Amino acid sequence: QVQLVESGGGLVQAGGSLRLSCAASGSRFSRYAINWYRQAPGKQRELVADISSGGTTNYADSVKGRFTISRDNDKNTVFLQMDSLKPEDTAVYLCNAVRWIFGSPRTYWGQGTQVTVSS
């Protein structure tokens, strides 16, 4: 069982930065891939960035070069550094942990943190 708690959201002007954290409790956090999704009103949930258990990262084209995902397994935390923020980055950002066990995915979600970027 893994519990995820996101933090670090808030209101920022366009061009600014925020650092989101996803803190996990539970065992074997280092074995989970972690995904950051975002959901804006009236839009589909979008995968923003992900990091594998081995540290491989991927980014959506819309955030590539502006967002950086990283993990600190000693602290059971994954970070999303968001720079050069744009109004279209406004959304609820959710953390998701996934691990495949015997061919079946175990997945957990946090409650989300609101990011609002003003123009």
Side-chain angles (χ1 to χ4, degrees):
Q1 190 79 9
V2 175
Q3 292 80 42
L4 303 173
V5 178
E6 301 95 332
S7 62
L11 174 64
V12 64
Q13 287 188 333
S17 297
L18 285 173
R19 189 192 196 203
L20 305 185
S21 297
C22 172
S25 60
S27 62
R28 298 188 173 92
F29 169 76
S30 63
R31 300 186 185 186
Y32 284 80
I34 305 296
N35 307 300
W36 278 103
Y37 285 84
R38 65 186 180 189
Q39 179 115 49
K43 294 187 178 181
Q44 286 191 329
R45 187 169 291 184
E46 176 189 16
L47 177 61
V48 173
D50 62 79
I51 185 165
S52 70
S53 57
T56 301
T57 60
N58 292 289
Y59 300 92
D61 287 343
S62 58
V63 306
K64 203 169 290 183
R66 300 188 297 121
F67 290 11
T68 304
I69 189 172
S70 61
R71 67 189 301 160
D72 185 338
N73 289 331
D74 290 337
K75 296 182 179 178
N76 278 13
T77 303
V78 170
F79 304 98
L80 185 67
Q81 177 68 40
M82 306 188 297
D83 299 318
S84 302
L85 283 161
K86 304 175 181 180
E88 51 262 45
D89 294 319
T90 295
V92 174
Y93 283 72
L94 302 111
C95 180
N96 165 247
V98 180
R99 181 185 173 198
W100 289 81
I101 301 175
F102 302 118
S104 297
R106 298 245 181 114
T107 185
Y108 304 94
W109 290 89
Q111 82 292 345
T113 185
Q114 176 70 45
V115 171
T116 303
V117 184
S118 63
S119 56

